[in-house]
Structures are given as C-alpha cells and as structure tokens.
Amino acid sequence: QVQLVESGGGLVQPGGSLRLSCVASGSIFSIYRMGWYRQAPGQQRELVARISEEGITVYADSVRGRFTISRENAKNTVYLQMRSLKPEDTAVYYCNAERGSQYWGQGTQVTVSS
C-alpha cells in the first residue's frame, strides 16, 4: 500500500505556471505507475497525465504540450509542471498510484483566474 500527499496548488492568472508535487510513503515507490487526475465541481475525475515505472508518459489531449509529468524515485515524488494555464484547468488535482490496486491523495486546488 501507499499513502500520497499532494502540494503546490494555488491561484494563478491565465498563462501562468504551477508545479504540483506528490510525495508517497508506505511502499516501494519505483514499482508504481503514477498519475495526476483532476476533477472540477460537478464533473467526473479525468486523467491529466501518467508516468509508468519505466518512465513512459501519457497526457490528456487538453494538456499535451503544456504540462509535464516526471518522477524522482529517490525522493518518492511525482511532479506535474503546468505551464500556459487556462481557466478550464481549474480543478482539484489528485495524485494516483497504481499497481493492481489504485491509491489516491486528498487533492490540491488549482484555480486559474484573472
């Protein structure tokens, strides 16, 4: 099992940047596929980006070219670098770990507004 804690959310203007971090504990981090999901009020949770144990990345079409997911296994941490933020990026962002079962963090709020 793994426990996940997100941080780095906040309020930014359109076109700005944020870097989210997710620190994992409780298991061997390097064997998990890690991902970032987001959920806006009244909407379903959607995949933003994920990175495999081998470093293979997948991005939602809406964020490709603007967001970058990375992991630093020595620090048990996965990052989401967000650039050129848009109002439609506003959501609670959740960290996810998967290895058969899925585990979720509590989320961090990202608000993009003028």
Side-chain angles (χ1 to χ4, degrees), residues 80-106:
L80 185 67
Q81 179 67 56
M82 304 184 293
R83 295 173 289 271
S84 300
L85 283 161
K86 305 175 180 179
E88 51 262 45
D89 295 318
T90 296
V92 177
Y93 284 70
Y94 296 92
C95 184
N96 169 266
E98 180 179 359
R99 189 175 184 269
S101 299
Q102 287 200 338
Y103 304 90
W104 298 92
Q106 293 299 306

Side-chain angles (χ1 to χ4, degrees), residues 2 7-8 12-13 15-16 26 31 34 38 41 53 58 61 63 68 72 80 85 88-89 93-94 103 105 110:
V2 61
S7 63
V12 296
Q13 294 184 349
I31 68 175
M34 302 298 299
R38 67 187 182 188
E53 312 95 284
V58 174
D61 290 342
V63 307
T68 302
E72 190 169 358
L80 185 67
L85 283 161
E88 51 262 45
D89 295 318
Y93 284 70
Y94 296 92
Y103 304 90
V110 172

